[in-house]
């Protein structure tokens, strides 16, 4: 009579530890490229170390932010266009930090999937490392979770965590007044908010992800155009902060211009946004016309071409405008001004670039 037992391993349950180790080896060069003053450890330990003194801070306040990429991931997964999603993740976090006046210092990521594909994960994490380089922060750790039964085959989810710092007394918003000037920093597209509605509009259009984007003339596919990575604004805004006169910053994410500008302005003050000075980018014109989306809904769902709003003192708006335009490599529109009241007052309507 046999006493032989079935022998199970973690791999039999769907978790491949060897693949996880291979991923760590694959991403080490990209992670090493994000090292900056203050980073004290490499990936692979139980925690990441950072030295605030070595980073140049004397009396720092820490600022934390966390975010994800939302259902933009769905388009990336369905098209296998994965390389920009990591930059999206970093941008959503570090752009929030800079709104407080903080310099991004380090970043951690969470990648969860059913069965780990080293190639898939390495492409995504490579994008995270690229985003960290652009933002000037170190990628000092993360977690790769292989969870069979929690996700469909090929699916994954992302979360990011960023820590920044500023010297005590430099936190924003500060000193916002009636008459301050509001500047707008152009976006690179939809960024990473509103994609549930974007995907619904794409469904209504009848277009597949690999068909040409209707608002472009260069053959770029619909999927690739929508997956344009979120712009990272930390370096241009830090130049403006060094100049002085910046009183508040709003990251235009979920809630659009309508909800996010008021988040950066104290109670008792609002803002007038002069839409008639702006041209709605063709992508947003396509979304609006194809989906039959009213302007008010566009303004409270999408960034409509403005990824950041920067509130500056009237005496310094011209040099701030010049510095930001130079750092961005493009003209920065003047959105409007702060005024007494609450919320957003819109003046005029967008000029339309699509359909032509």
């Amino acid at each position: 009579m046999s006493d032989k037992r079935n022998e199970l391993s973690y791999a039999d349950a769907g978790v491949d530890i060897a693949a996880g180790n291979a991923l760590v080896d694959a991403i080490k060069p990209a992670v090493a490229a994000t090292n900056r003053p203050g980073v004290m450890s490499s990936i692979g330990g139980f925690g990441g170390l950072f030295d605030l003194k070595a980073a140049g801070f004397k009396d720092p306040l820490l600022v934390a932010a966390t975010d994800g990429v939302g259902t933009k991931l769905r388009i990336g997964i369905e098209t296998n266009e994965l390389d920009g999603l990591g930059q999206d993740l970093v941008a959503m976090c570090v752009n929030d930090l800079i709104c407080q006046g903080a310099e991004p210092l380090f970043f951690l990521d969470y990648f969860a999937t059913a069965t780990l594909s080293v190639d898939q994960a390495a492409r995504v994490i490579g994008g995270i490392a690229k985003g960290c380089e652009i933002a000037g922060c170190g990628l000092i750790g993360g977690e790769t979770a292989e969870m069979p039964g929690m996700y469909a085959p090929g699916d994954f989810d992302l979360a990011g965590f960023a820590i920044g710092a500023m010297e005590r007394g430099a936190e924003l918003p500060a000193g916002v007044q009636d008459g301050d000037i509001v500047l707008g920093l152009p976006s690179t597209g939809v960024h990473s908010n509103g994609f549930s509605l974007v995907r619904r509009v794409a469904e209504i259009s009848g277009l597949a992800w690999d068909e040409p984007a209707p608002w472009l003339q260069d053959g770029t596919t619909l999927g690739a155009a929508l997956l344009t990575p979120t712009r990272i604004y930390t370096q241009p805004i830090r130049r403006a902060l060094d100049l002085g006169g910046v009183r508040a910053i709003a990251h235009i994410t979920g809630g659009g211009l309508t909800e996010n500008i008021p988040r950066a302005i104290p109670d008792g003050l609002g803002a007038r946004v002069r839409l008639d000075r702006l041209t709605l980018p063709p992508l947003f014109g396509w979304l609006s016309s194809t989906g039959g989306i009213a302007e008010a809904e566009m303004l409270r769902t999408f960034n409509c071409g403005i990824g950041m709003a920067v509130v500056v003192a009237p005496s310094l708006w011209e040099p701030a405008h010049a510095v930001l335009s130079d750092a961005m490599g493009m003209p920065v529109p003047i959105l409007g001004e702060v005024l007494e009241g609450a919320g957003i007052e819109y003046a005029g309507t967008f000029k339309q670039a699509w359909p032509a």
Side-chain angles (χ1 to χ4, degrees):
M1 183 168 138
S2 172
D3 191 29
K4 187 176 180 180
R5 295 179 298 170
N6 292 327
E7 294 184 358
L8 286 174
S9 68
Y10 211 3
D12 292 326
V15 178
D16 189 346
I17 293 174
N21 293 335
L23 174 62
V24 171
D25 289 337
I27 64 175
K28 277 183 177 178
V31 172
T34 72
N35 281 346
R36 53 149 293 156
V39 172
M40 294 179 61
S41 59
S42 59
I43 59 171
F46 290 101
L49 301 178
F50 192 91
D51 184 344
L52 284 167
K53 189 173 182 180
F57 290 93
K58 297 178 175 60
D59 185 19
L61 296 176
L62 293 179
V63 185
T66 183
D67 214 327
V69 181
T71 60
K72 188 175 187 177
L73 291 178
R74 187 75 261 149
I75 302 176
I77 291 167
E78 291 176 3
T79 61
N80 198 36
E81 297 273 354
L82 306 174
D83 300 271
L85 295 173
Q87 180 174 323
D88 286 310
L89 184 67
V90 175
M92 294 304 291
C93 295
V94 299
N95 287 343
D96 281 353
L97 290 183
I98 201 72
C99 289
Q100 307 295 134
E103 173 188 346
L105 300 178
F106 60 87
F107 192 86
L108 301 99
D109 69 276
Y110 177 78
F111 180 98
T113 187
T115 301
L116 181 62
S117 162
V118 174
D119 175 70
Q120 182 191 60
R123 289 171 64 190
V124 173
I125 297 171
I128 293 172
K130 179 181 177 182
C132 287
E133 282 192 80
I134 296 169
C137 64
L139 179 57
I140 66 170
E143 166 69 3
T144 302
E146 198 171 8
M147 300 189 292
M150 290 292 290
Y151 298 93
D155 283 1
F156 62 88
D157 199 9
L158 290 174
F161 313 89
I163 300 295
M166 85 277 281
E167 294 293 351
R168 190 178 304 274
E171 56 268 27
L172 296 178
V176 180
Q177 298 177 18
D178 181 15
D180 285 350
I181 305 300
V182 184
L183 305 176
L185 306 191
S187 70
T188 50
V190 182
H191 284 181
S192 297
N193 294 99
F195 269 89
S196 294
L197 182 53
V198 169
R199 290 165 51 238
R200 181 71 180 112
V201 172
E203 181 183 346
I204 290 170
S205 76
L207 294 172
W209 299 130
D210 60 357
E211 294 185 71
W215 65 91
L216 297 174
Q217 307 302 316
D218 60 3
T220 300
T221 66
L222 177 62
L226 292 172
L227 288 168
T228 301
T230 304
R231 175 167 274 144
I232 293 174
Y233 296 95
T234 55
Q235 299 305 331
I237 290 179
R238 286 184 65 191
R239 285 182 57 181
L241 290 170
D242 289 342
L243 174 72
V246 174
R247 290 176 166 172
I249 306 168
H251 186 193
I252 311 304
T253 55
L257 293 165
T258 303
E259 301 291 339
N260 285 291
I261 292 178
R263 294 173 64 188
I265 297 176
D267 290 344
L269 294 172
R272 178 183 295 114
V273 173
R274 299 181 181 272
L275 297 181
D276 47 11
R277 293 177 177 172
L278 305 174
T279 298
L280 188 67
L283 160 59
F284 296 98
W286 176 77
L287 287 168
S288 176
S289 61
T290 304
I293 306 172
E295 185 174 83
E297 183 67 14
M298 292 290 296
L299 288 164
R300 67 187 296 271
T301 302
F302 300 117
N303 65 59
C304 292
I306 301 297
M308 285 283 213
V310 181
V311 178
V312 296
S315 61
L316 286 171
W317 83 263
E318 289 180 296
H321 182 263
V323 162
L324 287 167
S325 295
D326 179 68
M328 294 284 293
M330 64 187 71
V332 168
I334 303 164
L335 288 186
E337 58 278 331
V338 175
L339 70 170
E340 292 184 357
I344 296 291
E345 173 189 311
Y346 291 111
T349 190
F350 285 114
K351 302 169 189 173
Q352 294 285 334
W354 196 95

